[in-house]
Amino acid sequence: MTFVIPAPTQPSLPTTLGDRFPVRRVFCVGRNYADHAREMGHDPNAEPPFYFTKPADAVVESGSPVAYPPATRDFHHEAELVVALGRGGTDIAEAAALSHVWGYATGNDLTRRDLQAEAKAARRPWDMAKGFDCSAVIGLLHPAGNLPANAAIRCLVDGKVTQAAHLSDMIWPVSAIIAHLSRLVTLAAGDLIMTGTPAGVGPLERGQTCRVEIEGLTPATTRII
Ligand code: MN
């Protein structure tokens, strides 16, 4: 087959195995930690998980600088566990869901918070608040199997802790998210799921370094330029 324009590059991420992981889609879970749902003004017990997406080419490798994005004065970090699917499917049973996981990484769901607030107020989509260029910083992918069930998750801005929680604080665990999402769309190998952020989200400024840590995984570090 030939294309009328050059075909886009396949977005991908490095793994601990050396070979790279091809990224197909990036799903993100909203309000998956009770304390963050409350800090954003919502009742964490009121709703099932909900999702938004980022383009696959919004993915940035840990260690790459990120330019402060246009059209915002309130650019935020969100520390998250990232799940990488090695197998897809529909109507995946929760009990079988973890067998679809290829691996895990740390991630930073970069957010134009002011645009998100405007979108919420106007009942408009979140795309320009969440799915802008370079908005998904992802650390080295680790094959599934070495993630402590109660791993600590932290975010540090210039070395100061802004977010600190445990993965067990997630309202919807990874298996429940995969099962629920697979009832809405056909999941596929290469899909990433960013699983939501704990309380403590806050602004990033030019010159600051943001580091997301999850016990057992490689940190995702970004300098804002
Ligand atoms: Mn998020």
Side-chain angles (χ1 to χ4, degrees), residues 93-186:
E94 186 168 343
L98 294 184
S99 71
H100 293 253
V101 175
W102 185 87
Y104 298 102
T106 53
N108 197 341
D109 167 15
L110 295 173
T111 301
R112 294 193 280 210
R113 192 71 68 201
D114 43 2
L115 295 194
Q116 185 189 32
E118 287 171 17
K120 286 178 180 177
R123 297 176 176 268
R124 289 179 179 157
W126 290 8
D127 297 52
M128 294 301 114
K130 288 290 196 177
F132 53 95
D133 300 341
C134 303
S135 57
V137 179
I138 312 280
L140 194 64
L141 270 168
H142 292 240
N146 52 1
L147 185 67
N150 191 28
I153 177 169
R154 300 203 304 169
C155 186
L156 300 92
V157 178
D158 285 347
K160 180 171 175 279
V161 176
T162 55
Q163 297 182 272
H166 294 88
L167 298 183
S168 53
D169 296 329
M170 289 197 287
I171 298 169
W172 301 89
V174 171
S175 56
I177 292 166
I178 292 170
H180 185 263
L181 186 55
S182 77
R183 284 167 176 75
L184 294 168
V185 293
T186 302

Side-chain angles (χ1 to χ4, degrees), residues 79-80 106-108 153-155 210-214 218-221:
E80 311 207 357
T106 53
N108 197 341
I153 177 169
R154 300 203 304 169
C155 186
C210 186
R211 176 181 166 101
V212 176
E213 300 177 346
I214 296 175
T218 306
T221 301

